[in-house]
Amino acid sequence: MNAPLTPGAVNALGAAQAAELRKQLYADMSPLNLTPLWEVLHALVPQQPQTPCVPALWKYDEVRPFLMRAGTAITADEAVRRVLILENPALRGQSAITQSLYAGLQLIMPREVAPSHRHTQSALRFIVEGSGAYTAVDGERTTMHPGDFIITPSWTWHDHGNDTDEPVVWLDGLDIPTIRFFDAGFAQNDDGKVQKVTRPEGTSLATYGNNMAPLRRDAPYGATSPIFSYPYARTRDALHQLERDAPIDDWDGVKLRYVNPSTGGSPMPTMATFMQRLPAGFNGKAYRQTDGAVFSVVEGTGSVQVARGDATHTFHFGPRDHFVVPSWHTARFSSQTGCVLFSFSDRPVHQALGIHKEERLS
Ligand code: 1HN
């Protein structure tokens, strides 16, 4: 047994002796679930974000055959949701594209129904291929078209159906890892497969989507936007008009964020969504931000350089490709042809915590 040591005596110990003393300390206290901070302090409080996530690209031409194989391997009914998860290569097995976000590509075949359920996780749908399928949110349906951004607010009943003759594919973005982190997930299946339609299509957009609002009605979906479908036709017109008539941002091209019209904030409490147009010949400057972002290419082609330290990934992308730019990686976009990019991130959470940071490099 060692005699008690004063701090001065510890300083006087030889390195080997100190190492032995510490090793024994760690081993002896471990059964009490005690562990020394000083061994992990630098990793707990890094000088700058040190995400384990890596940049990654999913080419639609390579992914689509597997989606279609999934279409023959399992029905939407059996699967509940027929989705291929886009897993960050550094987070395999965690159903996560970043530490806080989930992304997947969902397929619904002609005449299929994905049964009604609800959960506390918020979801966004960004339509990638096919037109005319629907999603229903608490009694109102909306028809899907490529480029539409659709929300399933937390704890709302939702089912999807496809009454067309074509497969329909969309990007699902959910805050699953965030809700898992807080251990705050609840879910329920509905009594029926398809929920009853109680309002005509377009009611929510007519009520809240024209810079007007009802006189006496609370937000129907709490902290989430009362508009649950943001049609691409409107977004596209706005971007094209701004490309023509307004200054082009050196970093973003023409970039708009989707808003909750009741608050001016993000459409969902956990996820921000964006649409941007890079004009033909755009050669952007580099930026980095703490919110890792997932991109879905809507139109056109381009490339992005994603870098951290010495490692640079260059992704060449075209329509329906998806990629992820992790936290605090620099991103630099360019496009010869011009292109349109949808993206989403966990920025509202960073902002709520007062920790959002962005740097625009010149
Ligand atoms: C979900 O409910 C949907 O409703 C999609 O389409 C993906 C991933 C995990 C948990 C629930 C949907 C999901 C999901």
Side-chain angles (χ1 to χ4, degrees), residues 81 83 102 106 117 119 125 158 160 170 172 174 176:
R81 299 294 186 261
V83 182
Y102 159 105
Q106 181 160 176
H117 68 188
H119 37 72
R125 328 282 170 193
H158 55 285
H160 319 298
W170 62 83
D172 284 319
L174 287 92
I176 289 172

Side-chain angles (χ1 to χ4, degrees), residues 246-255 277-279 282 284-285 360:
I248 306 296
D249 184 84
D250 284 349
W251 291 265
D252 293 335
V254 179
K255 187 169 185 176
R277 171 148 181 89
L278 307 182
F282 184 76
K285 295 181 176 174
R360 308 187 110 197

Side-chain angles (χ1 to χ4, degrees), residues 80-83 85 95 102-104 106 114-115 117-119 121-125 135 144 152 156 158-160 170-174 176 187:
V80 182
R81 299 294 186 261
R82 189 199 289 109
V83 182
I85 303 174
S95 303
Y102 159 105
Q106 181 160 176
H117 68 188
R118 63 179 178 177
H119 37 72
Q121 291 82 358
S122 296
L124 68 87
R125 328 282 170 193
T135 190
M144 300 172 159
T152 308
T156 54
H158 55 285
D159 52 84
H160 319 298
W170 62 83
L171 171 70
D172 284 319
L174 287 92
I176 289 172

